[in-house]
Amino acid sequence: MIYRLAECIARGEDFGSCLQKLLDERGMHPSEFAKRANIPLSSLYKILKGSKPRYDNITRIFSALYEKKGFVALIAARYVLEELKFGEKVRVYPVSTLEDAIVAVVRAEKDGARAIVCAPILSSLAEKVVDVPVITIKPGKSVIEALEAAMKLI
């Protein structure tokens, strides 16, 4: 979206009419976009009608148009991840130690993760380190299977 607005402006078209086209394509009402961009609705209407926008409004408009291509980070032991397949919306961070896991949490956020999924032993620490939601894996059937296997051994 940002690139399309920039291209439109580079062709010499009016900023307001370029922005109006983008809003129409998205099916977004100006009042909704004004809230998202954190600018007064009256200022947005003036821009859409051809007034030159102030610098701070331009930056807010571009920030509101920025489409984050986020993903969910899955942090788990290597052997767990070997068997699983995920789409492009999930990025896996295989780890083998707690130290690796902490580094993976920080790296995932830096890479652009919009949420992190990890084991209970890591989740409480991860919540203190990053600013994205942390979802805890709750073991279910695998815990019962492991207990049954251990009971067979004794």
Side-chain angles (χ1 to χ4, degrees):
M1 282 294 215
I2 292 174
Y3 303 112
R4 292 185 49 219
L5 181 58
E7 287 173 2
C8 184
I9 296 165
R11 286 192 302 266
E13 296 180 38
D14 177 61
F15 183 88
S17 60
C18 293
L19 180 58
Q20 183 65 59
K21 286 179 195 174
L22 290 176
L23 295 179
D24 291 344
E25 288 174 15
R26 277 190 163 180
M28 188 177 289
H29 192 271
S31 62
E32 180 185 352
F33 185 74
K35 287 179 187 173
R36 183 175 178 178
N38 196 25
I39 60 174
L41 182 58
S42 59
S43 297
L44 180 60
Y45 275 124
K46 288 176 186 175
I47 292 167
L48 294 175
K49 297 294 180 195
S51 293
K52 301 264 185 224
R54 293 187 343 227
Y55 176 77
D56 62 326
N57 286 338
I58 291 173
T59 58
R60 289 179 181 161
I61 288 169
F62 273 89
S63 294
L65 291 173
Y66 179 67
E67 295 175 342
K68 296 179 181 175
K69 304 242 185 223
F71 61 91
V72 173
L74 173 59
I75 301 170
R78 293 180 194 283
Y79 71 90
V80 172
L81 298 174
E82 289 173 353
E83 303 167 4
L84 304 173
K85 300 281 186 230
F86 302 99
E88 62 185 51
K89 292 275 188 186
V90 177
R91 193 176 297 177
V92 296
Y93 290 81
V95 297
S96 53
T97 66
L98 186 57
E99 291 82 11
D100 290 346
I102 295 167
V103 170
V105 166
V106 174
R107 182 172 292 131
E109 183 184 38
K110 184 178 177 187
D111 290 347
R114 303 281 292 270
I116 296 172
V117 176
C118 61
I121 195 163
L122 178 62
S123 63
S124 61
L125 178 61
E127 289 172 340
K128 295 174 185 171
V129 175
V130 295
D131 291 325
V132 296
V134 177
I135 292 84
T136 305
I137 298 169
K138 294 181 178 154
K141 188 177 176 184
S142 62
V143 172
I144 294 169
E145 289 172 359
L147 286 171
E148 288 172 350
M151 295 298 262
K152 288 179 185 176
L153 294 175
I154 55 171

